[in-house]
Amino acid sequence: MKEMKVSGLTKTYGEKTLFRQISFLIHEKDRIGLIGVNGTGKTSLLGILAGKDQGDGDLNPIQKPSDYQIGYLTQESDFNDELTVLETVFQGEAPMIRTVRRYEQALMDLARSGGDPDVQKRYTQAEEAMNEQDAWLVDTNAKTILQKLGITKMDQRISELSGGQKKRVGMAQVLIQEPDLLLLDEPTNHLDYQAILWLESYLRQYRGALLMVTHDRYFLDRVTNRIFELSHGDLIEYQGNYEDYVVAKAERERQAVQKEEKRQQLYKQELAWMRAGAKARTTKQQARINRFEELKDNLNQVNNDGQVAIELSNKRLGKQVLEIKDGSYAFSDKVILKDFDLLIQSRERLGITGENGAGKSTLLNILAGRLPLDQGELITGETVRIAYYTQTNEALAEDKRVIAYLQEVAEEARQSDGTSISVAELLERFLFPRSTHGTLIAKLSGGEKRRLFLLKLLISQPNVLLLDEPTNDLDIATLTVLEDYLQSFPGAVITVSHDRYFLDKAAQKLLVFKGSGQIDRYHGSISDYLEQTDLQASADADNTKPVKAPETSTVSETAVSAPKEKKKLSYLEQKEWATIEDEIAALEDETALLADAMNGQGSDFTKLQELQTRLAETERLLEEKLARWEYLSDFVD
């Protein structure tokens, strides 16, 4: 069994100690979630484990087998823009990956210059190597993983991809190498729900170990079996998933506070004895004085990360907030909105989600007045005061101090109870200790800069919040309290997000972008929406449940209905149950035949693409049938 052992690892950044003398062991089947407040060193730790950085000192604190392979998905991918998607995916140095890379290159050369004898010879040699090493499965798996992650054009240049698409190509590149340890930094960013669910299933079955940083608490809960928390320079281990961690941490903190209270009580008693004029005339008295000094030195041992307390007042918001009437907008012939109507009311909690690139951020920019509609009208109420948390910060002056950045807005802020709070106190509540207030912004981590940017927006006393993917950069502690704050925020909140947990807490209605100007409206949570659409898919399969037909207009309404408790199979479901296992077997046979056909079509790139598309569709149908079999089996005696 391959393991990685870390002993006494320390890392400082300037005057700041990220972690000191931390030690841990990563076992073969570990699924570890790494969490902590922004700036505690999560990404730094991943970089050290990946060999991209090193800890302090000359000693090597990391022990692993010589053939131990590590795959590292960073937040920002650095690829050669001239390469294609497939060429990029096969850039790894594992022997099997090199063989596949040579084959894919030979295949493309053959497609371009099939009559060249040298090209034909290289292709024949590459094909023989694929057969000798049985590398066809790696090739097929890579294309399947890309399909699952939403990348379908294998020959597209990297320069033509969006940032989110590049992140998904990076994910595929890491996964196909099947390293002993997967290091993933925010793997769910830029993934849609279908891809996230697939990735959850893939990682649960992964043969090696996994260590990941993610804000997605549902993902953490469903994938992890251990949690590492970086806090105040220490690494604290918890067994179990995220839910287990929350319970265990609360108990740990309760015990720590209880012990601190006992130390404080004993200190007061001993202090009174000392003040009474104790003299070190006997060994017994001297021992007690020594214990008092030791007790004094060990007070205030409880180091909690604290909570981001947001209790700021807001400007009054009138009845009229934001409204779009007959709005249309297109970008480079791509329809974003078409004859679109939207009414935002004073207590609105609207979540905007759906396909990447369909125009979610564009809608926020229109609501913020940053983009004009091609047609239609945007009406903004007179009392509206918008704070727009964009995906990228405003330009922060790197040479400015943290406290000075906020003082540009105000020296103090008014709280909801009418009292005032200084900027320094507010920074402390936002997890910026007093020692950091004079720090240059350039020395903050990316997450700390995002938290500072959010704080600046909130002290401006907005009554309408536009949040564009807030979970991408904020840590879980900040997100948790932000969610609580939004519950009592008296204004309107419009959020673009793919984070199911955050949307469940922050949104009561949804706009689900499907692309080409098609937008579903849904009253309820994202979990309800995803469950409802799954139920409707099952209902379509058995034709026994009434399903509201989708409207043909650009904006459709999804029906909301509570499913009744099911007792037994209907007549049609019994007929379906009688044949479903044969249908599954047939689909499995077809999948195997298509995979074999792909292996035999190496010289015909067009045919290969066609077979890949058919294989992906067959696998999708097979997954649906297996899910259907599992559903029906619950009601079979």
Side-chain angles (χ1 to χ4, degrees), residues 32 217 339:
I32 304 169
R217 284 151 286 181
D339 301 326

Side-chain angles (χ1 to χ4, degrees), residues 89-131:
V89 166
F90 292 121
Q91 284 299 296
E93 292 306 316
M96 194 84 75
I97 299 299
R98 288 200 297 268
T99 298
V100 176
R101 183 166 67 240
R102 285 193 291 268
Y103 169 75
E104 288 292 341
Q105 183 60 53
L107 181 61
M108 286 188 288
D109 291 343
L110 191 68
R112 287 192 293 262
S113 308
D116 188 327
D118 290 336
V119 171
Q120 293 175 359
K121 181 179 179 180
R122 284 198 300 272
Y123 173 77
T124 301
Q125 292 172 341
E127 189 176 36
E128 290 174 353
M130 291 285 286
N131 290 327

Side-chain angles (χ1 to χ4, degrees), residues 376-446:
E377 183 181 10
L378 170 67
I379 302 171
T380 303
E382 292 183 1
T383 61
V384 167
R385 190 165 183 170
I386 293 176
Y388 189 4
Y389 184 84
T390 55
Q391 286 199 46
T392 55
N393 282 348
E394 63 181 30
L396 302 182
E398 298 283 287
D399 58 347
K400 192 177 291 294
R401 307 287 175 181
V402 167
I403 195 167
Y405 173 73
L406 289 185
Q407 287 171 335
E408 290 179 347
V409 179
E411 291 286 343
E412 60 181 22
R414 186 165 296 278
Q415 299 188 100
S416 54
D417 62 2
T419 60
S420 295
I421 181 172
S422 70
V423 167
E425 289 178 281
L426 202 53
L427 278 167
E428 285 191 277
R429 293 190 185 186
F430 246 64
L431 308 184
F432 289 103
R434 292 261 176 179
S435 59
T436 67
H437 293 186
T439 301
L440 292 174
I441 289 177
K443 293 186 177 181
L444 298 181
S445 70

Side-chain angles (χ1 to χ4, degrees), residues 205-356:
Q205 301 171 27
Y206 188 68
R207 66 168 183 81
L210 163 68
L211 176 62
M212 66 175 174
V213 174
T214 181
H215 60 269
D216 191 326
R217 284 151 286 181
Y218 282 153
F219 195 82
L220 275 174
D221 213 35
R222 293 169 183 169
V223 174
T224 60
N225 55 26
R226 293 173 76 191
I227 298 290
F228 286 178
E229 181 182 24
L230 283 174
S231 176
H232 300 280
D234 297 323
L235 186 142
I236 307 159
E237 297 187 35
Y238 296 88
Q239 294 298 319
N241 61 9
Y242 180 72
E243 182 180 354
D244 297 326
Y245 153 76
V246 171
V247 174
K249 181 180 180 180
E251 175 60 20
R252 175 178 164 273
E253 290 183 342
R254 186 194 66 79
Q255 293 179 4
V257 169
Q258 193 176 58
K259 290 178 181 178
E260 179 65 26
E261 289 174 349
K262 289 181 178 179
R263 281 195 295 268
Q264 293 283 359
Q265 185 178 10
L266 181 58
Y267 175 73
K268 290 178 181 178
Q269 294 172 353
E270 294 297 285
L271 182 61
W273 179 77
M274 291 291 292
R275 286 175 174 172
K279 294 182 170 50
R281 284 181 290 188
T282 68
T283 302
K284 187 175 182 180
Q285 285 176 320
Q286 183 60 53
R288 186 170 181 180
I289 292 171
N290 292 340
R291 283 199 304 272
F292 169 78
E293 295 297 335
E294 182 180 353
L295 182 62
K296 182 179 178 181
D297 292 338
N298 284 281
L299 290 176
N300 304 313
Q301 291 291 303
V302 178
N303 280 324
N304 293 330
D305 287 326
Q307 287 198 338
V308 184
I310 310 175
E311 299 173 349
L312 299 173
S313 65
N314 311 101
K315 295 291 185 181
R316 186 190 68 82
L317 183 61
K319 289 185 177 181
Q320 188 176 60
V321 184
L322 295 168
E323 184 176 6
I324 294 177
K325 291 184 177 181
D326 298 321
S328 294
Y329 185 86
F331 178 74
S332 298
D333 297 326
K334 181 177 183 179
V335 176
I336 304 299
L337 304 176
K338 183 178 180 182
D339 301 326
F340 179 74
D341 293 320
L342 178 66
L343 178 64
I344 303 295
Q345 298 177 320
S346 60
R347 296 281 300 184
E348 193 79 48
R349 295 294 184 271
L350 178 66
I352 303 173
T353 190
E355 291 185 8
N356 291 319

Side-chain angles (χ1 to χ4, degrees), residues 2 26-32 67-73 94 97 141 145 171-184 198-212 219 222-225:
K2 291 184 177 181
I26 299 178
H27 308 283
E28 188 171 304
K29 291 292 185 179
D30 278 343
R31 306 285 184 271
I32 304 169
D67 61 345
Y68 195 81
Q69 295 184 16
I70 299 174
Y72 182 25
L73 176 70
I97 299 299
N141 282 347
I145 289 172
M171 173 77 73
Q173 184 188 59
V174 170
L175 293 183
I176 67 166
Q177 296 178 35
E178 297 187 346
D180 299 296
L181 174 62
L182 273 174
L183 301 174
L184 306 179
W198 173 83
L199 185 60
E200 285 178 358
S201 176
Y202 183 92
L203 293 179
R204 282 198 299 265
Q205 301 171 27
Y206 188 68
R207 66 168 183 81
L210 163 68
L211 176 62
M212 66 175 174
F219 195 82
R222 293 169 183 169
V223 174
T224 60
N225 55 26

Side-chain angles (χ1 to χ4, degrees), residues 443-629:
K443 293 186 177 181
L444 298 181
S445 70
E448 287 173 315
K449 290 177 182 176
R450 297 294 281 160
R451 188 172 356 124
L452 186 64
F453 176 54
L454 175 61
L455 179 54
K456 184 176 183 179
L457 292 177
L458 295 182
I459 65 175
S460 66
Q461 294 186 294
N463 49 32
V464 176
L465 291 176
L466 304 181
L467 307 175
D468 197 356
E469 297 288 4
T471 63
N472 279 3
D473 301 290
L474 298 177
D475 54 71
I476 290 176
T478 305
L479 286 173
T480 299
V481 184
L482 175 60
E483 290 156 356
D484 292 338
Y485 168 72
L486 295 180
Q487 297 292 321
S488 59
F489 180 72
V493 181
I494 301 105
T495 304
V496 169
S497 181
H498 279 112
D499 190 307
R500 297 158 293 174
Y501 193 101
F502 185 82
L503 282 177
D504 273 346
K505 298 194 73 174
Q508 298 166 351
K509 294 191 292 186
L510 300 173
L511 293 179
V512 184
F513 277 63
K514 298 297 189 67
S516 301
Q518 182 183 347
I519 305 170
D520 283 355
R521 298 177 189 263
Y522 186 85
H523 289 262
S525 69
I526 187 62
S527 290
D528 289 341
Y529 173 80
L530 294 174
E531 181 180 359
Q532 184 72 12
T533 51
D534 286 344
L535 287 172
Q536 288 180 354
S538 298
D540 289 339
D542 62 33
N543 293 316
T544 60
K545 297 177 184 177
V547 181
K548 181 179 177 181
E551 299 178 9
T552 57
S553 62
T554 305
V555 181
S556 61
E557 291 282 347
T558 302
V560 185
S561 59
K564 295 181 180 180
E565 184 179 355
K566 192 171 180 66
K567 301 292 186 182
K568 60 181 181 179
L569 296 179
S570 67
Y571 172 71
L572 289 176
E573 286 173 330
Q574 291 174 22
K575 292 184 65 177
E576 182 185 0
W577 176 253
T579 61
I580 194 169
E581 290 186 354
D582 290 338
E583 293 171 354
I584 289 172
L587 286 169
E588 289 174 336
D589 290 343
E590 185 177 355
T591 299
L593 289 173
L594 287 170
D596 289 341
M598 287 179 66
N599 294 342
Q601 288 292 335
S603 61
D604 190 339
F605 184 76
T606 302
K607 184 66 175 177
L608 193 64
Q609 287 284 78
E610 179 186 335
L611 289 170
Q612 175 62 46
T613 302
R614 287 175 57 192
L615 177 61
E617 176 63 17
T618 304
E619 289 177 335
R620 184 187 67 79
L621 292 173
L622 179 58
E623 288 180 5
E624 289 180 358
K625 284 294 182 184
L626 289 170
R628 187 68 181 153
W629 181 92

